[in-house]
Amino acid sequence: MSAPDATAEKTNARDRQKAATWERILGAARSVFFEWGFADASLDEVAKRAGVAKGTLYRHVESKTHLFVEVLIRDSEVFIEEMARVVSQTLPPTEKVLAIARFYVDFFHENPDRAQILWAVDNQDWIGEIQPDVVQRVTQLFESQLRVFSDVIQQGIESGEFADCDPWVVAYAIWGLGDCYLNQARSRPRQVLFGKPIQVLYDDGLRLILSGLLRREPA
């Protein structure tokens, strides 16, 4: 092997090792944040679970907040990728809205750790104040998710299936309804009060919203 080839191979090996270390750090951080909460989470514990030295951890992240945001971004990317597959289905606008909304509730109901991390940024009393630029990055993540949904509603308006409306407002209302049910479902007494799985309740709520969204033909 020539000297340049050997150098390139060493560089590639270092890059692969660095990427593998980063994945271990993210996985460890996700579990620590979920189990301990942001305020009590310890970078020492993250390093221990990831099997890396504290110095190695700080070569990847600047602070606990930085690591938190990186976990948030990674989980949001996974969510957006999976949601895009739902959006790609060939369905009428009404059925596509229902499919996306159901996916949203199912995803976070089945992955409560991801839900806790994604929503924590809205509760800075819990995680502590974070920098404005970090808030902006997170806001952009939320916006990208909601934009996919509002685009589907816009398609329904353009096809004539939905009445003229502000697709962003409608998407936000449907998203908010899902968040409401997911939050309530964390309480066992409220689960008993519901008397039905949250997916069933959410579906009923969605159909109520959609009944007002559908275009009515003039009498």
Side-chain angles (χ1 to χ4, degrees), residues 27-196:
R30 182 181 294 109
S31 64
V32 171
F33 284 135
F34 173 57
E35 293 172 21
W36 295 16
F38 180 87
D40 295 328
S42 162
L43 289 183
D44 286 336
E45 180 65 17
V46 172
K48 178 182 176 181
R49 295 194 190 189
V52 301
K54 187 81 171 286
T56 300
L57 178 60
Y58 274 107
R59 283 198 291 272
H60 286 80
V61 296
E62 300 173 0
S63 64
K64 185 168 69 172
T65 298
H66 179 196
L67 182 55
F68 173 82
V69 172
E70 294 302 332
V71 171
L72 173 69
I73 290 172
R74 173 60 62 85
D75 281 4
S76 293
E77 289 172 349
V78 171
F79 173 81
I80 291 171
E81 288 173 3
E82 295 192 22
M83 184 169 68
R85 285 196 285 273
V86 176
V87 174
S88 67
Q89 298 178 82
T90 304
L91 294 170
T94 298
E95 292 303 315
K96 186 169 286 191
V97 168
L98 288 169
I100 297 171
R102 289 165 180 162
F103 160 74
Y104 179 78
V105 166
D106 287 344
F107 183 89
F108 288 111
H109 186 59
E110 295 167 5
N111 300 276
D113 55 330
R114 291 180 175 181
Q116 184 167 341
I117 290 171
L118 285 172
W119 292 329
V121 74
D122 291 329
N123 299 277
Q124 293 190 42
D125 289 341
W126 177 55
I127 68 170
E129 185 176 358
I130 58 179
Q131 299 91 333
D133 63 314
V134 173
V135 174
Q136 180 61 29
R137 288 180 68 190
V138 173
T139 299
Q140 289 172 350
L141 285 171
F142 290 160
E143 182 179 357
S144 64
Q145 296 173 12
L146 201 56
R147 182 65 61 190
V148 173
F149 209 176
S150 67
D151 285 348
V152 172
I153 295 172
Q154 180 63 44
Q155 292 168 13
I157 296 171
E158 294 173 356
S159 71
E161 185 170 342
F162 295 158
D164 189 33
C165 64
D166 185 331
W168 186 261
V169 171
V170 175
Y172 199 90
I174 294 175
W175 221 246
L177 180 62
D179 286 346
C180 176
Y181 281 128
L182 286 166
N183 279 315
Q184 297 296 316
R186 297 177 185 179
S187 166
R188 179 58 184 165
R190 292 185 184 275
Q191 291 179 29
V192 174
L193 180 64
F194 288 164
K196 297 179 181 179

